[in-house]
Amino acid sequence: MKSKLLTSVMILVSIIGFSQNPIIIPSTIESTNVNLSLQNGTFQFFPGEDTATMGVNGPLLGPTLIMNNGDNMNINITNNLGQETTIHWHGLHVSAANDGGPHTVIDPGTTWNPQFEVLDKAGTYWYHPHLLNHTDEHASKGISGFIIVKDTEEAALNLPRTYGVDDFPLAVQTKAFDTNYQIKHSVNDDTTLMVNATINGQLDVPAQVVRLRVLNGSSQRTFNFGLTGNNTFHLIGTDGGLLNAPVALTRLPLSPGARAEILINFTGLQGQTLHLMSYASELTNGNYGATVPGVSPTQVLDGYNPNPLNGADFNILQFDVVAQTASPITSIPASLANDVPLAESSSDEARTFTFTPLTGGSEQLNGDFAINGVTMDMNTINITIPLNNTEIWTLQNFSSIAHPFHVHDVQFYVLDINGSPPPAYLQGRKDTFMVPPGTTARIITKFEDHADDTIPYMYHCHMLKHEDALAGMMGQFVVVDETAGLDDQEINKGALLYPNPSKGSYISIILNNKSERILAYSVVNHLGQIISHHKIHENEISNIYSFPVFELSQGQYFVKVFTDNGIITKKFTKNN
Ligand code: C2O
Ligand code: CU
Ligand code: CU
């Protein structure tokens, strides 16, 4: 009797376990005026169980924002979370002030109003929180949304583009839940897989070519996408837009933060069921999601095992093929965009970024990790880049786990991986690139359009646990316009800071106009905060004044010089 009951309970559980749920398709906002509300909510990932969530204009996820190249966006984001956060436009080429990085905090109860022109190519981008040390918490609780950018080049192609009909956004994520069905973050027991917040997701697709905009929105996990039966699909776009021609694939690894636009031809398959899979058994060790997360089987990652998703092949989404739509696309186009990658010979500057573990031995996968020997410091600008520089960045991963390296502001091209050209699926525009352990890879990009002396952009690992650690795997760069604006005025005004940059203890302000007098000066940090203000004693007033800088830590500053003719602002760099 008891065992009969147990058996029927088990059958019931397995039926529930395998029941398929139509995935949520986020609503769209197609307007240059966008109102977003960040809010707390509850959502039932598991039938009958309330989970506390965070979302945008709803309990979780957020509306898909549809933008056109050239649009002037005016976005109001009201923070109703009761705590600080930020919203970052991942992949969009916007100014640092509009980028929504850790410096652009939206206080609870306030509204942030980024305004920017859409300079991006047609593609799939996304938005998510980026508060220092809290990105994973806020993203895992549910805040993330798609951005679809359209342009005339894409519009001229014979591609599926009817949202929710033959063009679908798929945010693929794993999450970790505690025994009360509440979301945990920055842990390694992410055993629950979901697509657009739907567990055991199912999607009706018409019997024609269907476009999937796939985002790996997981905190840490890499997927190795494929179709059941090893059917071929076509990659048409990467992080920053369309490829020049579709790439036929049976497998596509996708790291956290990265996107892929793929076409699947379901023509003639009406009535059939197929699955989008992750063939994680084929991931090489050293990827989060493989059998062993490090390069060596003895390397452990707390909570990683047992996890049914690690090193296993599993279903991500069930496709049920239904009737064709009215004017279906039934073939894969032969060519797509006309994108010309930056030439290696155009580089103005080469920089190297080393990834090293801060913990040794078998524990090193548990973190933390440094970039060029240092970890995230809000008060340190790690790199200053002249506007319009084309740069080659060499990424060297000296740790035992792969890190998805993400750069704000730009799209880049992968030049080579251990000296060899990248595979076809990595030859497009990228903003997030998985650097395997023990690997040296080079990327090339150009820093154009946006300069800001004070607000930095970020570069970081997009495994959110690595990014969010107190010793965070993240750094900051500013793009500076050395030829325009302030400097011209400064030169005309004839003020000099000497020496600049300085490693020494004192610098001098020298006014060329000998009859102009220095009355006071302020030192302002890159956040615009006044560090010191000093009024010059009457009998020291002249056109020259020297003051101490040995207490300033390394970084970029502004020196404001108050003269009897006005205020002169000079940039100053302190080196140690
Ligand atoms: Cu998707 Cu700096 O982030
Ligand atoms: Cu980003
Ligand atoms: Cu990392």
PDB file of all heavy atoms in Angstrom, residues 88 90 128 130 406 408 460 462, ligand 1:
ATOM      1  N   HIS A  88      22.642  49.232 -16.939  1.00  0.00           N
ATOM      2  CA  HIS A  88      23.686  49.326 -17.967  1.00  0.00           C
ATOM      3  C   HIS A  88      23.165  48.779 -19.291  1.00  0.00           C
ATOM      4  O   HIS A  88      22.490  47.755 -19.316  1.00  0.00           O
ATOM      5  CB  HIS A  88      24.900  48.521 -17.482  1.00  0.00           C
ATOM      6  CG  HIS A  88      25.903  48.230 -18.550  1.00  0.00           C
ATOM      7  ND1 HIS A  88      26.542  49.209 -19.274  1.00  0.00           N
ATOM      8  CD2 HIS A  88      26.392  47.048 -19.028  1.00  0.00           C
ATOM      9  CE1 HIS A  88      27.376  48.650 -20.135  1.00  0.00           C
ATOM     10  NE2 HIS A  88      27.304  47.349 -20.013  1.00  0.00           N
ATOM     11  N   HIS A  90      24.177  46.947 -22.076  1.00  0.00           N
ATOM     12  CA  HIS A  90      25.294  46.080 -22.450  1.00  0.00           C
ATOM     13  C   HIS A  90      25.393  45.992 -23.971  1.00  0.00           C
ATOM     14  O   HIS A  90      24.474  45.530 -24.642  1.00  0.00           O
ATOM     15  CB  HIS A  90      25.089  44.695 -21.831  1.00  0.00           C
ATOM     16  CG  HIS A  90      26.169  43.716 -22.151  1.00  0.00           C
ATOM     17  ND1 HIS A  90      26.831  42.979 -21.194  1.00  0.00           N
ATOM     18  CD2 HIS A  90      26.718  43.345 -23.328  1.00  0.00           C
ATOM     19  CE1 HIS A  90      27.730  42.210 -21.770  1.00  0.00           C
ATOM     20  NE2 HIS A  90      27.671  42.415 -23.075  1.00  0.00           N
ATOM     21  N   HIS A 128      20.955  45.402 -17.990  1.00  0.00           N
ATOM     22  CA  HIS A 128      20.971  44.719 -16.691  1.00  0.00           C
ATOM     23  C   HIS A 128      21.588  45.636 -15.647  1.00  0.00           C
ATOM     24  O   HIS A 128      22.267  46.607 -15.986  1.00  0.00           O
ATOM     25  CB  HIS A 128      21.732  43.383 -16.795  1.00  0.00           C
ATOM     26  CG  HIS A 128      23.190  43.505 -17.126  1.00  0.00           C
ATOM     27  ND1 HIS A 128      24.140  43.918 -16.221  1.00  0.00           N
ATOM     28  CD2 HIS A 128      23.870  43.276 -18.279  1.00  0.00           C
ATOM     29  CE1 HIS A 128      25.336  43.917 -16.785  1.00  0.00           C
ATOM     30  NE2 HIS A 128      25.204  43.548 -18.054  1.00  0.00           N
ATOM     31  N   HIS A 130      24.139  47.019 -12.685  1.00  0.00           N
ATOM     32  CA  HIS A 130      25.611  47.009 -12.654  1.00  0.00           C
ATOM     33  C   HIS A 130      26.132  47.699 -11.401  1.00  0.00           C
ATOM     34  O   HIS A 130      27.187  48.341 -11.424  1.00  0.00           O
ATOM     35  CB  HIS A 130      26.142  47.712 -13.902  1.00  0.00           C
ATOM     36  CG  HIS A 130      27.415  47.155 -14.461  1.00  0.00           C
ATOM     37  ND1 HIS A 130      28.563  46.982 -13.702  1.00  0.00           N
ATOM     38  CD2 HIS A 130      27.721  46.715 -15.699  1.00  0.00           C
ATOM     39  CE1 HIS A 130      29.511  46.485 -14.481  1.00  0.00           C
ATOM     40  NE2 HIS A 130      29.027  46.307 -15.683  1.00  0.00           N
ATOM     41  N   HIS A 406      34.618  41.230 -20.975  1.00  0.00           N
ATOM     42  CA  HIS A 406      33.660  42.181 -21.566  1.00  0.00           C
ATOM     43  C   HIS A 406      34.221  43.593 -21.482  1.00  0.00           C
ATOM     44  O   HIS A 406      34.793  43.974 -20.464  1.00  0.00           O
ATOM     45  CB  HIS A 406      32.326  42.084 -20.816  1.00  0.00           C
ATOM     46  CG  HIS A 406      31.336  43.166 -21.167  1.00  0.00           C
ATOM     47  ND1 HIS A 406      30.996  43.459 -22.471  1.00  0.00           N
ATOM     48  CD2 HIS A 406      30.610  44.010 -20.394  1.00  0.00           C
ATOM     49  CE1 HIS A 406      30.104  44.450 -22.465  1.00  0.00           C
ATOM     50  NE2 HIS A 406      29.859  44.803 -21.222  1.00  0.00           N
ATOM     51  N   HIS A 408      33.079  47.633 -22.032  1.00  0.00           N
ATOM     52  CA  HIS A 408      32.008  48.600 -22.279  1.00  0.00           C
ATOM     53  C   HIS A 408      32.400  49.535 -23.431  1.00  0.00           C
ATOM     54  O   HIS A 408      33.554  49.604 -23.814  1.00  0.00           O
ATOM     55  CB  HIS A 408      31.756  49.443 -21.027  1.00  0.00           C
ATOM     56  CG  HIS A 408      31.081  48.700 -19.905  1.00  0.00           C
ATOM     57  ND1 HIS A 408      30.258  49.310 -19.002  1.00  0.00           N
ATOM     58  CD2 HIS A 408      31.110  47.396 -19.553  1.00  0.00           C
ATOM     59  CE1 HIS A 408      29.805  48.413 -18.129  1.00  0.00           C
ATOM     60  NE2 HIS A 408      30.321  47.244 -18.431  1.00  0.00           N
ATOM     61  N   HIS A 460      35.616  43.920 -17.676  1.00  0.00           N
ATOM     62  CA  HIS A 460      35.506  42.949 -16.583  1.00  0.00           C
ATOM     63  C   HIS A 460      35.181  41.555 -17.083  1.00  0.00           C
ATOM     64  O   HIS A 460      34.805  41.360 -18.238  1.00  0.00           O
ATOM     65  CB  HIS A 460      34.443  43.399 -15.568  1.00  0.00           C
ATOM     66  CG  HIS A 460      33.045  43.558 -16.123  1.00  0.00           C
ATOM     67  ND1 HIS A 460      32.136  42.535 -16.151  1.00  0.00           N
ATOM     68  CD2 HIS A 460      32.410  44.644 -16.650  1.00  0.00           C
ATOM     69  CE1 HIS A 460      30.994  42.977 -16.657  1.00  0.00           C
ATOM     70  NE2 HIS A 460      31.137  44.246 -16.989  1.00  0.00           N
ATOM     71  N   HIS A 462      32.619  38.643 -17.201  1.00  0.00           N
ATOM     72  CA  HIS A 462      31.159  38.616 -17.109  1.00  0.00           C
ATOM     73  C   HIS A 462      30.630  37.396 -16.361  1.00  0.00           C
ATOM     74  O   HIS A 462      29.423  37.125 -16.382  1.00  0.00           O
ATOM     75  CB  HIS A 462      30.501  38.751 -18.482  1.00  0.00           C
ATOM     76  CG  HIS A 462      29.287  39.632 -18.466  1.00  0.00           C
ATOM     77  ND1 HIS A 462      28.089  39.237 -17.884  1.00  0.00           N
ATOM     78  CD2 HIS A 462      29.093  40.900 -18.907  1.00  0.00           C
ATOM     79  CE1 HIS A 462      27.216  40.222 -18.008  1.00  0.00           C
ATOM     80  NE2 HIS A 462      27.792  41.240 -18.617  1.00  0.00           N
TER      81      HIS A 462
HETATM   82 CU1  C2O B   1      26.929  43.155 -19.119  1.00  0.00          CU
HETATM   83 CU2  C2O B   1      29.669  45.524 -17.527  1.00  0.00          CU
HETATM   84  O1  C2O B   1      28.226  44.310 -18.264  1.00  0.00           O
END
